[in-house]
Amino acid sequence: MTTPPAMVSIHEESFGQLSNGTSASLYTLTTPQGMKVKITNFGGIIVSILTLDKTRRLADVVLGYDRVSDYEADSYYLGAVIGRYAGRIDKGQFKLNGHLYQLALNAPDSQLHGGKKALNKQLWHASTAQEENKSSIILSYSSPDGEEGFPGEVNFTVKYHLTVDNELIVEYFAETNKTTIINLTQHSYFNLAGHDSGNIHQHKVSINADYFLPMSEKAYPTGEIKSVTNTAHDFSKAKFLAKEIDNNDDDQIRIGLGFDNYWLLNENAIAMNEYAAQAIDENSGRRLTIFTDQPSMILYTANYIDGSHYGKNNVQYQRRAALCLEPQRANNKEKGVNIENCLLTPEQPFYSQTRYVFDLA
């Protein structure tokens, strides 16, 4: 008798109602080894990731909430798909083909992460697919011309795949009817010891990058491309975050209240021949390795979380409760900081892939 192939199971349930009365769904993907990933079609949000430690104990390693209504009110972008434009746009303005566009402002004198009702606050259409070695959640959203001030209608698709090898693969697709800009990322907050385990000072992090982008006092890239050598931003060899995270002698850490810069990934990382970033919690043994085709990566160390938000199981999230590793196309070594890095045209649809590999160190 032939043994049936191992499958990643899919379960759908209600995740509650939004303020407009529509209902959100929660999808749970489970591998044969017991890893679970929960995703909602509200904001394309990763609600939880449960992985095994070296003693085979499961823990949820991302910050989040128990109800969709909490995500609707959330200001930290926990677990969400970010766009149309991840990051800050000064004064909410950019020029394209000689035209100055004014975007909706949702931060002091800027637009942050796509505006007031960006991709993270939309209810996406969801479907599922199941194959022999992976199962998938396929999310789609059509952003109308002028939404949050951006030109062009853009059709977005995000596919989350969980494989039997405990890899979470995220694929991004976008196409438009008018030249516009997009910069997409995934904004999960990781604490590999568990979302309820305190700070991430003892996480060991490495980033496959020789250069980073310093930022001004207003937290915008200055335009300088700086070597990481002999700086607090040198993660070319793995080091504990505690070594530098509160280094107030470093201007960049002082401005960001921790790490919050762009790193320009090395070519071998962009080609996905080597990892882009890696984080390890030695106590639990959990390791997260990220592969991406995007040219830049933000390391953000939850600098603005302040204890005012209660997450899953009523946990009060504090500063440094997690870290984000955000692949983006906004900056590269050829053009540095340039809006042209983010163009989307009718002739050239956008595609990107990021892989999150969960295993033990």
Side-chain angles (χ1 to χ4, degrees):
M1 185 175 179
T2 304
T3 303
M7 301 284 281
V8 177
S9 67
I10 305 176
H11 174 71
E12 179 185 354
E13 62 189 299
S14 171
F15 198 40
Q17 282 196 335
L18 299 167
S19 58
N20 64 4
T22 57
S23 296
S25 294
L26 183 68
Y27 299 85
T28 302
L29 305 177
T30 307
T31 71
Q33 295 88 352
M35 179 181 174
K36 291 179 185 288
V37 177
K38 297 188 177 187
I39 297 163
T40 177
N41 60 333
F42 179 72
I45 291 167
I46 296 175
V47 173
S48 68
I49 299 177
L50 288 97
T51 66
L52 294 165
D53 70 3
K54 59 190 177 185
T55 68
R56 301 200 57 78
R57 184 182 70 90
L58 275 174
D60 187 351
V61 298
V62 292
L63 274 56
Y65 303 105
D66 291 319
R67 294 169 295 275
V68 74
S69 56
D70 292 326
Y71 283 106
E72 193 173 17
D74 173 58
S75 58
Y76 293 143
Y77 302 88
L78 298 189
V81 171
I82 304 298
R84 291 188 186 190
Y85 190 94
R88 299 177 181 88
I89 297 179
D90 192 15
K91 301 182 180 64
Q93 296 178 344
F94 70 94
K95 275 190 177 178
L96 195 57
N97 297 330
H99 182 84
L100 180 66
Y101 289 92
Q102 177 62 61
L103 305 176
L105 302 181
N106 63 326
D109 202 28
S110 68
Q111 186 188 91
L112 175 66
H113 290 338
K116 297 175 182 177
K117 193 172 182 184
L119 298 185
N120 64 303
K121 299 295 185 184
Q122 303 293 343
L123 189 66
W124 295 55
H125 176 267
S127 61
T128 63
Q130 199 165 26
E131 300 174 41
E132 183 176 319
N133 60 357
K134 69 179 181 183
S135 291
S136 309
I137 309 297
I138 300 102
L139 302 171
S140 58
Y141 173 71
S142 182
S143 177
D145 186 9
E147 186 167 60
E148 297 301 300
F150 289 96
E153 177 182 328
V154 180
N155 294 316
F156 293 98
T157 299
V158 175
K159 296 182 180 180
Y160 287 107
H161 312 279
L162 184 62
T163 76
V164 293
D165 297 319
N166 297 330
E167 291 189 10
L168 179 63
I169 302 170
V170 187
E171 292 185 293
Y172 304 88
F173 304 79
E175 55 185 26
T176 185
N177 62 355
K178 184 193 297 186
T179 299
T180 187
I181 61 170
I182 62 162
N183 180 39
L184 305 177
T185 196
Q186 217 295 327
H187 209 285
S188 284
Y189 286 68
F190 295 100
N191 186 322
L192 297 177
H195 79 102
D196 53 357
S197 64
N199 66 51
I200 37 81
H201 286 185
Q202 294 308 308
H203 278 51
K204 189 180 277 188
V205 172
S206 52
I207 302 174
N208 193 344
D210 294 333
Y211 296 92
F212 78 105
L213 301 181
M215 58 184 170
S216 69
E217 294 285 343
K218 290 182 67 178
Y220 295 105
T222 62
E224 179 188 4
I225 296 176
K226 185 174 181 178
S227 170
V228 300
T229 303
N230 297 322
T231 74
H233 290 68
D234 187 355
F235 287 93
S236 56
K237 292 189 174 73
K239 66 180 179 183
F240 290 106
L241 288 174
K243 187 174 188 299
E244 305 279 8
I245 199 168
D246 292 316
N247 182 357
N248 289 321
D249 293 330
D250 184 284
D251 279 346
Q252 294 299 295
I253 290 175
R254 177 185 56 79
I255 292 168
L257 305 179
F259 289 108
D260 196 12
N261 292 81
Y262 289 95
W263 277 256
L264 302 181
L265 296 173
N266 294 328
E267 293 303 320
N268 53 7
I270 299 170
M272 298 180 78
N273 294 324
E274 294 184 9
Y275 69 72
Q278 189 174 78
I280 297 171
D281 172 50
E282 291 188 339
N283 288 333
S284 67
R286 293 188 184 92
R287 175 170 59 188
L288 167 62
T289 307
I290 298 176
F291 297 84
T292 185
D293 56 11
Q294 295 296 272
S296 60
M297 171 86 70
I298 284 182
L299 166 63
Y300 170 63
T301 47
N303 310 325
Y304 299 105
I305 288 183
D306 59 6
S308 62
H309 288 47
Y310 287 83
K312 288 174 283 193
N313 302 319
N314 212 34
V315 174
Q316 189 175 13
Y317 293 139
Q318 305 286 349
R319 190 173 181 226
R320 311 269 192 261
L323 61 89
C324 301
L325 289 161
E326 309 165 42
Q328 299 186 22
R329 69 191 296 223
N331 309 284
N332 60 45
K333 281 183 278 192
E334 289 72 39
K335 295 182 179 178
V337 182
N338 192 318
I339 204 73
E340 291 184 4
N341 296 334
C342 299
L343 291 183
L344 177 68
T345 68
E347 298 77 27
Q348 186 63 53
F350 174 75
Y351 172 78
S352 176
Q353 181 188 123
T354 298
R355 290 167 46 219
Y356 300 82
V357 181
F358 295 87
D359 64 4
L360 297 174

